[in-house]
Amino acid sequence: MDPILPDIQLIAILPEIILALLACGLFVAESFIQREKKEQLGYYAIGALALTLLSTIPLWGKEISTFSGMVVLDSYALFFKTALILISAIIILMSFEYVKIERINLGEYYGVILFATVGMMLMPSANDLLSFYLSLELMSMSLYVLVAFMRKDPKSVESGIKYFLTGVLASGIILYGIAFLYGTSGTTNLGEISVFIKTQEIGSSPSLIMAFILMITGFGFKIAAVPFHMWAPDVYEGAPTPVTAFLSSGSKVAAFSVMLRVFINSFDLNSGSWWQILWIIAVMTMTLGNLVALTQTKLKRMLAYSSIAHAGYLLMGLIAASQIGYAGIMIYLVGYAFMTLGAFTVIVLLCRKNHRGDQISDLAGVARTNPFVGLTFILFALSLIGIPPTAGFVGKLFLFNAAIQGGFYWLAIIGVLNSTVSLYYYFRVVRVMYMDEPAEDLALSFSPGMKIALGFTAGMTLLLGLYPEPIIRAAIDSVKIFL
Amino acid sequence: MTILSIVFLPFAASLLILLLSPKLQKLDVGKTLGAVVAAVPLIVFSLIISLIGQAAHTFHIPWVESYGIELSFLVDGLSILFGMLISGIGLLVVIYSTWYLSDKEDKVKFYIYLMMFMGAMLGVVFSNNLIGLFTFWELTSISSFLLIGFWYHKEASRYGAMKALIITGFGGIAMLAGFVLLYAITDTFDISKILTMGDVIRSSSLYVPALVLIFLGCATKSAQFPFHVWLPNAMEAPTPISAYLHSATMVKAGLFLVARLSPAFSGTAFWTCLVAGAGLTTMLVGGVLAIRQTDLKGLLAYSTISQLGMIMAMFGFGTQYSVEAAIVHILNHASFKAALFMVVGIIDHGCGTRDLKYVGNLKKDMPHSFKIALVGCLSMAGLPIFGGFISKEMFYESALHIPFVTVPGLIPAFVVFASIFTFAYSFKFLIWGFFKEAPGHPPKHAHEAPMLGWISAAILASIAVLLGVAPGLFSHSILEPAAAAVSGQPAHLHLALWHGVNTPLVMSLFTVIPGTFLFLRLNKVTAFQSKIAAKLPHFNPNFLYNRGFLGGIPSVARRSLLQIQSGYLKRYLFMIVSFVITAVLLFSLFKGWTLSYDGLTAAGITIPQLLTFTLIVCAALATIRFKNRISAILSLGMTGFLVAFFYVLMGAPDLALTQFLVEAISVILILLVFYLVPPYFEEKTHKTAKSLDVVLSVFVGVVMTYYMAMVMDSHFTESIAHYYLEMSEKLAGGRNVVNVVIVDFRGFDTMGEISVFSIAALAVYAMLKLKKKPKLGKEGDSGL
């Protein structure tokens, strides 16, 4: 009897393979490039991402399950992969100027971003608890390094340590949850778990409940949901701004993408009442995030809390447990990524030599000296609040609608009240930009990369708001695999 | 296509000015820019005129097809009426602003925002899709925010701008939730379809929440009590803006939406109670507060609140006649109120202040303004021969026939009482401003504005007269179709000043006589009001906004923040762990799970096992007690080795061997790392924190043990061991199953592990080398 080798279709992870190899190449090339010319590696990274994006094209429409079912490639995974590649590219674009100003223009910076991207891209493809865990760790490890990248800045180092220690605890908790789930069902494959779960009453199985709570905790940490959010404001503030942007967009998008697959597959959200814990977390997350954001004077911290609040809105879609809800999460995530990245780009613009520029007051009068920047920020603010014609509105409409159709009226109403609070703190920033006196030496750190990043994020925020038809179709088609 | 150009022409104008703004800023635009901009509302106005007489129709452009959202417009009597108001008054306001804005002002910005607002407002009234309507609706809030904050150097402007945005923005988002509920009922966002589904909507269980949420949007926008507080602060805007946004158009958007959705929602007791109740309360509150004001603009702001409440009440009554009355009054109010606002702007310019403490007796100095104000105030007071008289009589008449009200005479008495204040503040404006001498002196000597300043107001005032003496000019072509669109039945208006002696006329008498009396005693009344206000400072929605929203929520948030976001990593971990444990415990308590001892007893504990277990506990305790790091590390290693011994006792020597190896390596590694840090722990933990930690640790231990014991006897799937035991010799030809698994079955894994270890070793070696040659020069820059 011949040994049976599994039929591995490497094409399913072709983009990841390309990107990982190119990232390794970047590390090799890094040694041969002088410090002043490290920017070239950034362009190299952009090129690598572009190539990766191209390599996804032949994969559209394919449905592949490989590595003994551990990795799948479907429209859902591709949807997120595309978004993540774009996010990563924007991060690199906004980094060029920043790393020079903060004197962290080392080649590794771009390489680690690429590795994190590989991890993120694998996450929506993970169809097995182990492949999910591995890709999550690949992403997390890279991010730990990135957060502490300004190693001479005590704040950055402190936030790196904090992020690492809490992150490791969360990973441990997820692993424990995986152990319980595996122990009960006897498999780590999400599809097989879902078959097993359908025969079970989750609420009456202690080990399933335990697994569920542990997984919620771990995911809650990764998406920064209350009460597992405490790391976020500290880390967001200390990390280099583009990395903060990466954390609040890429990391959150990837975590949600895999959370959706794991939860929809392995826990039957339509039965029993045990998922009400999600309800509590969602309400706490949006309320605390928004209320505390009100009190912030630092831009990065404010956006950190607002990003916490957004995780709360997103959970509404999961609670609703319907096609609209899941599609809503996908649409909202993409829109959210662009608008957050845009807002962070504006912060990066403020960063000058010897001036961190992360206070709200640093934006004083910016709209009057740079009308275009003011206008784009209004756009991002509108989108973050959920006012048309922006991407944030479309997503929020779906999420609210999902909550209401699922009968969660109170959840929707709490969401509405929260949006009002967010209106206040976003527009407080707009007020400062439009109505305060500009500082005398206000010169924004514009570079070609920044212009592209700002223009692209603003364009996408508006485009997804004005013509959301394609993304809605893509999202609704993608979530069909779950239903 | 006409409709598209109506809505998008102002937007295009706004965008064009924006694009040209760098060039325009450099040029001295003077009054020419205003003159050019005035063409936009003029074109729009004439386009809307061309629509008059057409049957109601819709125009669609697909937008989000999968979701039933389209760019769709509805042309009917109601939208035409509002469209005419928006473009007509817009034209007059642009003309007025060319005089009002001095050359120092940033006119370019002004017209960008103004045109944006006009487009948004036209979008609101012509929208046939709820989502489209919401889009334009929020745009009006934002352009209002920018326009109120036009004089950004004043703190009051910034405060007013934020306040207006937050209150109307809140309403807008609530309204969106209401729209989604409406979608859940009707399965469409199309307004014209929704209007035909009134019976379905009214019988739905979601009727009340949907109505309340949508009405929140209308009430905040139209400054209904208790949301009216933003409107007086919005008066910080330049006067053309106040005249346009905050009296004639934007604040009427709420009324518009109530009117628009009337066919779908009205006709129930709840509707009348909610809408009319809010309207009547607002009417009274606005009137009572208006008579107190000495700032002319403040007076007009409160009077606007009161008048908006009156119109809202008429829509709330929900009868055919009351709807007609409301429509007539919308036109009346727009004409006289905008005129009065413009007069205030002229007074402000001419005297340097608009406070009645300093200005008065302007009759002679400002003859044109006086005539305009005379018409405006008399119309507002509801006296013949002006339009205000007709609509007020209609209002009284409709108040006599309200459905769902069981107490006869209650509502008529209430509206008469509220109107007394209307009468009084109208006369306060007129008499105090133009006849009575003021106690103080204005900073400038009063002078009249040039014709460009008063011409717009004069046109509005003449419309107010025409509405009284020749209402037939408007009734058939404009007002009747509008009323019909709201009530859903053909309307026939018989507008006239004289209907013979009837109940409304008697009611008018009961308004005028006490009104005059109130006016004559105004000083005493306002003094009394101030006394009450001083005694009850908290009895005020403003207090709620300032202290509650602006002050209270952030301070509560800040306090809780200090607890949650302490910055201490230890507390963060503490919270995460305690959440997990509490959740687990709550679930088991909730489910009433009890421990079954079968699992424990089945395992059969032996004496050596028990001994080892005791030793593990001792070693663990020792780890946390030791003050010396090396001892602590060693005793930590001890627990590991003992666990390995446990495996031996359980009959798994291979596993134990692995555990021994791993444990040895970790102890060495930890020792290596800690070689670099001081040998003793510095205890800084507070006693209470420490005991909390102990409690949590014990808690975690107990709960997890309990859980594990419970899970013990749950059904596990079949072990994979049989497969390896059976197949190791057959497939790989080896009897040592563990070896076969490592090198054969999982050969690739082993290879991967080896390479990972090699790379890690290389890295460790590299780092050790780095340590050996610390960089010369800077201290503290070496090492990691």
Side-chain angles (χ1 to χ4, degrees), chain A residues 198-213:
Chain A
K198 287 218 169 75
T199 64
Q200 298 283 308
E201 179 82 38
I202 301 175
S204 57
S205 159
S207 45
L208 280 180
I209 286 289
M210 189 68 168
F212 172 66
I213 291 175

Side-chain angles (χ1 to χ4, degrees), chain A residues 124-410:
Chain A
S125 271
N127 195 36
D128 187 284
L129 293 174
L130 291 179
S131 54
F132 137 62
Y133 182 76
L134 283 177
S135 47
L136 179 74
E137 283 306 283
L138 178 54
M139 174 190 85
S140 303
M141 291 295 168
S142 316
L143 288 176
Y144 299 144
V145 176
L146 284 173
V147 167
F149 214 84
M150 295 193 286
R151 64 203 169 96
K152 286 174 192 165
D153 180 67
K155 269 216 155 141
S156 174
V157 174
E158 184 193 329
S159 59
I161 291 283
K162 266 185 189 161
Y163 187 39
F164 176 68
L165 289 178
T166 44
V168 168
L169 179 76
S171 294
I173 288 175
I174 286 188
L175 213 48
Y176 206 9
I178 289 178
F180 269 98
L181 203 50
Y182 171 65
T184 319
S185 64
T187 171
T188 53
N189 184 288
L190 293 181
E192 287 169 29
I193 291 176
S194 98
V195 172
F196 170 79
I197 296 267
K198 287 218 169 75
T199 64
Q200 298 283 308
E201 179 82 38
I202 301 175
S204 57
S205 159
S207 45
L208 280 180
I209 286 289
M210 189 68 168
F212 172 66
I213 291 175
L214 293 171
M215 299 281 255
I216 278 278
T217 307
F219 278 119
F221 173 86
K222 296 292 174 195
I223 61 168
V226 177
F228 322 110
H229 69 285
M230 289 84 73
W231 61 275
D234 295 4
V235 173
Y236 279 26
E237 190 191 339
T241 310
V243 175
T244 311
F246 203 25
L247 280 178
S248 70
S249 56
S251 156
K252 197 164 278 202
V253 171
F256 257 105
S257 73
V258 72
M259 182 176 179
L260 219 56
R261 208 190 274 270
V262 169
F263 270 77
I264 298 170
N265 266 340
S266 50
F267 298 98
D268 189 0
L269 287 152
N270 283 315
S271 77
S273 60
W274 51 272
W275 43 262
Q276 289 203 343
I277 189 171
L278 277 176
W279 206 101
I280 299 168
I281 292 179
V283 170
M284 286 201 305
T285 305
M286 48 186 158
T287 312
L288 189 120
N290 277 318
L291 287 186
V292 178
L294 272 183
T295 67
Q296 301 302 316
T297 55
K298 285 182 182 149
L299 264 174
K300 273 161 87 178
R301 269 189 106 85
M302 190 197 95
L303 284 176
Y305 283 107
S306 102
S307 113
I308 291 172
H310 284 284
Y313 301 136
L314 281 159
L315 284 175
M316 291 203 308
L318 191 60
I319 295 165
S322 60
Q323 189 181 18
I324 289 186
Y326 301 147
I329 293 182
M330 295 176 74
I331 297 162
Y332 198 85
L333 273 174
V334 173
Y336 164 80
F338 287 122
M339 62 214 189
T340 311
L341 286 174
F344 274 108
T345 313
V346 174
I347 301 183
V348 175
L349 275 178
L350 291 174
C351 179
R352 297 185 294 276
K353 278 232 159 64
N354 308 320
H355 184 75
R356 189 56 61 76
D358 54 0
Q359 303 285 328
I360 292 176
S361 55
D362 288 329
L363 277 170
V366 165
R368 277 191 274 147
T369 52
N370 296 275
F372 180 71
V373 176
L375 217 62
T376 50
F377 192 86
I378 285 205
L379 191 72
F380 299 134
L382 290 181
S383 187
L384 287 161
I385 301 164
I387 290 175
T390 56
F393 167 71
V394 180
K396 219 168 226 178
L397 182 67
F398 266 76
L399 290 178
F400 279 159
N401 198 2
I404 283 171
Q405 292 201 345
F408 299 95
Y409 301 116
W410 279 107

Side-chain angles (χ1 to χ4, degrees), chain A residues 230 234 401 424 436 466 469, chain B residues 63 65 67 158 565 572:
Chain A
M230 289 84 73
D234 295 4
N401 198 2
Y424 176 66
D436 281 5
L466 285 177
E469 188 66 26
Chain B
W63 186 13
E65 279 174 90
Y67 216 51
R158 287 180 284 178
Q565 202 69 42
Y572 296 175

